[in-house]
Amino acid sequence: MQTLEVQLGERSYPIFIGESLLAQPDCLLPWIRGRQVLLVSNATVAPLYAAQILKILRDAGLAVADVTLPDGEQFKDWQHLNLIFDALLAARFSRKVTLIALGGGVVGDMTGFAAACYQRGVDFIQIPTTLLSQVDSSVGGKTGINHPLGKNMIGAFQQPRAVLADTSVLRSLPERELSAGLAEVIKYGLIRDLPFLAWLEEHMEGLMARDPALLAEAIRRSCQNKAEVVAADELEQNDVRALLNLGHTFGHAIETGMGYGSWLHGEAVGTGMLMAADLSWREGWLSAADVARVRALLVRAGLPVLPPAGLSADEFLRHMAVDKKNVDGRLRLVLLRSLGDAWVTDTASPQHLRATLEAGAALGMMA
Amino acid sequence: MQTLEVQLGERSYPIFIGESLLAQPDCLLPWIRGRQVLLVSNATVAPLYAAQILKILRDAGLAVADVTLPDGEQFKDWQHLNLIFDALLAARFSRKVTLIALGGGVVGDMTGFAAACYQRGVDFIQIPTTLLSQVDSSVGGKTGINHPLGKNMIGAFQQPRAVLADTSVLRSLPERELSAGLAEVIKYGLIRDLPFLAWLEEHMEGLMARDPALLAEAIRRSCQNKAEVVAADELEQNDVRALLNLGHTFGHAIETGMGYGSWLHGEAVGTGMLMAADLSWREGWLSAADVARVRALLVRAGLPVLPPAGLSADEFLRHMAVDKKNVDGRLRLVLLRSLGDAWVTDTASPQHLRATLEAGAALGMMA
């Protein structure tokens, strides 16, 4: 088992990474401060892993309740968040309760937001069960739900007491979701850790084969990178944390344009990172070989490298205009000054941007 | 105009108290950091004061939207909170937006909670228009909404950027609401400020006649007391902040037992404080003369001093059992060791408590 500490002053917390953590009471129980626990999961994950966790909690003599949400981004709304509050209040749980999020990013975001709001704030623990949530959403404290007029528009910053990233659960992960998680892993290499990018190039086949030691190392280095970024900018008050959005402005346009659920978030981010690399090449910052290198790694990770054919440049631009990073109507993008060095800028030329959006199938193969 | 600073480190903020503050752009505009403002009010207050504030904002060249909620505690729910999010998103307001709460405690709690959650936290300014909200809910950062299974169960701590307590608006306040506000004013004297209690005894008739200078002084000293308590225990992590709940456990039982809206919150708290004093006398801490003194001041403030006849001791106990202060099923109450000195205790004898609950009409007139 590897341990990583996210340094946030009095809100610091550990991330445990390793095999079969869910079977070990000592990984979970020390992080529960009161006598009451609500386990939140979804209909896909609960049948696989909820029973063993509930047994650990009950054997420890805790008062335990659980709630199972439907699985999917389309249920990340107030109505389903309220199922968590209903369960807490039906059990008459006090502000000493601990919530445990067992599932992917949606379960983590909703459980964390419920923990932020229940009686104005209670403890929660993250047990992320997808690679994406292990390397991304379980670090940093962003929680929330969607509003019909915007994704993640309602939420809070709420740090967990601890995160348990169990690599064993990744064996049951569908192939597409493994690739989607790897997109965010590759992102850390691209934005700030060139040695990690090289390590990923060396071990991508092993990661795709779900080698536990390699997965644990990829998770650790991803979480380490994210933890450093978050420690420098916990509440997203400067542009440091925005670097984590490499590929996301393009990616959100793909997700919104195609309708949520058609592309996985990580898939859209993967293609979005290639578009960001392509634009960075047009701006003269990356070489054609750099862009080809990004493309090749994404392909090996099983990720799409073609934006959806049906999405025109104008539609891209329209969806990109509502990004939270934009200031006073000016589009701001995370781009690459070199591989391993991202920055936020509004200086990219509109002509270059349009060329990237129209490049389609030729992305990363132009030069 | 008087100014009071609530000392909370980087979340410190000023409270301005005085006549006709709403007419002065300089009281409002310096606290708006961006170019976007949403004014939130209710159907009673908006017709009286919204136009002049909107004019100040528009004359300053700001992008302004407004939303009017129905007036009443029964609308302090998710459905109506969502009207605020709808307005923010329809206007495409960014995380640089400032929300302004113009109204009583319900508007303040809902607007503050919306500010806590919109894009994970934006600025807000409180313009409380009732005496109760000026002396209580606008200080301390407690925000939230009700859940069908519990009052204020969903919320956040979110400090405003500034509070404008305009004493002119109190002229339009219904008599019952003035009295309800005075209950919370008297509370500060009882829990920690005996000289203030004596000052209130000296000036109660002038306060009831809405003398602006006396009201401003009462508001200033109330806010000063609350600010000191909140500074000592911002997130309610020890029992300091709980002292503000004098009379509230009894009061909540009255509110719940009679159905919300039948008794005003301040009225229930007033009677609850007399019950707390009565129990403190039975425990041997207060003299009979002390309790009579509390009773006399409440009567002069136009407050009820009889608990509702229809509420039995058993019903009281049942409602009091769900209080947030209780730990491990033990009832914890804010009681008085002497006038001006409250404490939180679970030592009151059940027999004495039952005697207080059954005393009814004889409260404070027993000795």
Side-chain angles (χ1 to χ4, degrees), chain B residues 64 256 293:
Chain B
V64 183
T256 310
R293 193 175 158 189

Side-chain angles (χ1 to χ4, degrees), chain A residues 207-264:
Chain A
L207 290 165
M208 290 292 283
R210 308 187 195 208
D211 177 296
L214 290 176
L215 284 172
E217 179 65 7
I219 294 165
R220 186 190 66 77
R221 291 176 77 162
S222 296
C223 290
Q224 180 72 48
N225 271 295
K226 179 151 187 184
E228 288 171 10
V229 169
V230 170
D233 183 19
E234 185 182 357
L235 303 183
E236 207 159 34
Q237 288 169 331
N238 55 50
D239 277 341
V240 175
R241 191 158 177 165
L243 300 184
L244 297 171
N245 277 322
L246 177 71
H248 282 60
T249 307
F250 296 100
H252 281 161
I254 294 174
E255 287 179 274
T256 311
M258 302 307 289
Y260 288 110
S262 147
W263 282 53
L264 294 179

Side-chain angles (χ1 to χ4, degrees), chain A residues 177-194:
Chain A
E177 294 201 29
L178 182 72
S179 294
L182 286 170
E184 297 278 359
V185 171
I186 292 168
K187 180 189 76 178
Y188 297 111
L190 288 175
I191 63 171
R192 69 194 301 277
D193 192 346
L194 190 57

Side-chain angles (χ1 to χ4, degrees), chain A residues 138-150:
Chain A
S138 66
V139 188
K142 282 194 182 180
T143 70
I145 55 173
N146 300 328
H147 182 282
L149 297 178

Side-chain angles (χ1 to χ4, degrees), chain A residues 65-114:
Chain A
D66 65 292
V67 59
T68 301
L69 305 173
D71 184 9
E73 178 85 24
Q74 67 270 40
F75 304 112
K76 190 173 149 180
D77 57 16
W78 173 263
Q79 186 188 341
H80 292 87
L81 182 73
N82 211 30
L83 296 176
I84 303 177
F85 296 131
D86 289 345
L88 286 164
L89 285 160
R92 293 188 169 235
F93 281 164
S94 74
R95 58 173 59 162
K96 304 279 187 197
V97 69
T98 294
L99 275 59
I100 298 177
L102 174 70
V106 171
V107 167
D109 283 4
M110 295 179 73
T111 307
F113 187 43

Side-chain angles (χ1 to χ4, degrees), chain A residues 1 22 53 58-59 82 114 122 125 155 161 171 198 262 293 296 310:
Chain A
M1 184 174 79
L22 296 194
I53 294 174
R58 290 195 177 112
D59 286 352
N82 211 30
V122 300
I125 294 169
R161 289 265 296 153
R171 285 196 203 103
S262 147
R293 193 175 157 189

